[in-house]
Amino acid sequence: MKILHVEAGKHLYGGARQVQYIVEGLARRGVDNLLACPAGSEMARQIVPGVRYAPLPMGGDADLGMVGRLLGLIRRERPDLVHLHSRRGADTWGGLAARLAGVPCVLSRRVDNPESRLAVALKYRLYDHVITISEGIRQVLLAEGLAPGRVSCVRSAVDATPYLAPVDRVAFEAEFAPVGLRPGGLIIGIVAQLIPRKGHRHLLAALPALVAAHPGLQVLVFGQGPLEAELRADVAARGLAAVVHFAGFRHDLPRWLGGLDLLVHPAEMEGLGVSLLQASAAAVPIVTCRAGGLPEAVQEGVTGLLVPPADVPALGAAVGRLLADGALRRQLGAAGRARVLAEFSIDGMVEGNLAIYRQVLAHREARP
């Protein structure tokens, strides 16, 4: 089996990392993988053994030229199937290229952003099958008119191994002292791109009351994005400069994530939330929202607490409850680690995607 994968992301955020897991796992199973990705991207530099790379210009939704470039690649390589892993033009232009080449095409959908029924009816004709990373996203597509037989859920996975090692608290505090972290207090982390739908502003709004109740509380903000200047201004306006510390994007986050006392993810929309799975692997309890696939990543009262999206009082109450109860934090963290190890393995995700490929190819072969 030969698969052409298309991933348009330039950075190794959650979705691109999942693509790495998939192609590496498929290669171990004897699948011939070719990965088309943006020239100069982190993905193109992170070589996976057994995977060939095809760096291409990828200019996003307005880059109509992607059709021709991907079509040429498909005709040269003659894959059995094309798997589109992202948006940013890869979904529409990649689907058109596969259709023009007459090659079966599968789309991974990682976000729960709503689309019109007309868009679904037109765009999704390009794909033989759609794979969603959560049941929540699958339900969104079904509600928008996609036939049940054309969409399946294969949840994202996490490599738990790097998160299992204990983190020395003194070393943790020393590592983040340069961004302003002070020793001795409880530490909340938020791991997400600095974009509106991740809901950073809701946590900032809840913080003054939390700091009053828990002196010494601090927050580490991991990630980068266009909202950084706005969020920094909000922190300063609320008088939280000594509390909230921006740690940027960290490639070595698996080494340090377990040093947090609590992960808060106040997103208003989310496909699944890989950072939550990573936190659970590190035995860190979580407070997040009942949005998208987040209730699939976090079990209410078992691995964390869930609140309504954009509900600042409820968010503050849930965070405050865990900050005040160390035993409950340890209980939820231990349960989260056990669940990730049992239910979100990379092998399970790879086998799920491979089963969809076989199903699509068998259906194509059965056509008269």
Side-chain angles (χ1 to χ4, degrees):
M1 187 186 296
K2 183 176 183 178
I3 308 297
L4 170 62
H5 303 268
V6 183
E7 165 58 55
K10 295 181 179 179
H11 303 287
L12 280 173
Y13 296 140
R17 186 71 71 185
Q18 296 296 310
V19 177
Q20 281 194 320
Y21 292 154
I22 290 170
V23 296
E24 187 174 24
L26 291 171
R28 289 198 301 268
R29 289 161 172 79
V31 175
D32 183 2
N33 298 278
L34 176 65
L35 175 57
C37 54
S41 65
E42 288 184 71
M43 176 70 80
R45 296 193 295 269
Q46 295 286 324
I47 303 300
V48 173
V51 178
R52 294 182 297 124
Y53 288 77
L56 296 174
M58 293 187 180
D61 293 328
D63 185 8
L64 180 58
M66 282 179 65
V67 177
R69 292 190 289 274
L70 289 171
L71 178 59
L73 182 63
I74 293 169
R75 286 176 171 167
R76 289 193 302 273
E77 292 288 340
R78 300 174 62 86
D80 297 300
L81 182 142
V82 174
H83 187 166
L84 309 172
H85 290 275
S86 63
R87 297 179 295 161
R88 302 183 186 89
D91 51 357
T92 303
W93 305 138
L96 281 171
R99 173 61 64 91
L100 290 171
V103 175
C105 184
V106 169
L107 172 73
S108 280
R109 182 170 164 100
R110 302 185 175 278
V111 296
D112 59 346
N113 304 52
E115 297 176 289
S116 70
R117 293 180 71 90
L118 178 60
V120 170
L122 295 175
K123 173 181 170 182
Y124 286 82
R125 290 179 182 177
L126 298 172
Y127 317 121
D128 292 77
H129 206 86
V130 179
I131 301 173
T132 65
I133 64 165
S134 71
E135 183 59 29
I137 299 176
R138 181 174 177 273
Q139 291 302 319
V140 168
L141 290 176
L142 293 178
E144 293 170 348
L146 194 62
R150 296 189 56 226
V151 56
S152 303
C153 171
V154 179
R155 289 194 178 102
S156 291
V158 61
D159 179 5
T161 304
Y163 300 93
L164 301 180
V167 177
D168 179 82
R169 185 64 170 229
V170 174
F172 181 93
E173 292 173 340
E175 176 69 20
F176 295 101
V179 300
L181 186 72
R182 305 181 312 280
L186 290 169
I187 304 170
I188 292 173
I190 178 168
V191 182
Q193 288 179 266
L194 308 185
I195 55 178
R197 65 185 177 89
K198 299 298 184 178
H200 295 78
R201 63 192 182 279
H202 304 312
L203 177 58
L204 296 183
L207 273 179
L210 290 168
V211 172
H214 303 276
L217 175 66
Q218 297 176 84
V219 178
L220 284 173
V221 179
F222 293 97
Q224 59 190 17
L227 279 190
E228 181 170 348
E230 181 179 324
L231 291 172
R232 286 182 179 272
D234 193 4
V235 167
R238 295 180 185 276
L240 296 170
V243 175
V244 180
H245 315 291
F246 290 82
F249 181 79
R250 300 280 302 225
H251 286 285
D252 61 348
L253 192 58
R255 178 181 177 185
W256 300 112
L257 193 60
L260 299 173
D261 295 294
L262 177 65
L263 184 88
V264 179
H265 191 73
E268 298 174 3
M269 305 178 73
E270 191 70 82
L272 181 64
V274 171
S275 65
L276 279 66
L277 302 180
Q278 294 167 340
S280 286
V284 176
I286 298 165
V287 174
T288 190
C289 299
R290 296 186 186 91
L294 292 172
E296 298 171 57
V298 176
Q299 284 186 307
E300 165 64 23
V302 178
T303 67
L305 302 179
L306 298 169
V307 300
D311 188 332
V312 173
L315 179 67
V319 172
R321 178 185 171 192
L322 290 189
L323 292 176
D325 193 337
L328 181 58
R329 292 199 305 272
R330 290 188 291 274
Q331 174 187 324
L332 299 180
R337 172 174 285 179
R339 182 169 183 253
V340 164
L341 292 172
E343 299 183 25
F344 293 92
S345 72
I346 291 175
D347 280 343
M349 179 179 67
V350 172
E351 286 294 335
N353 279 271
L354 186 55
I356 298 298
Y357 300 165
R358 289 170 174 154
Q359 173 186 323
V360 167
L361 293 173
H363 182 73
R364 278 285 185 113
E365 290 175 1
R367 288 181 182 177

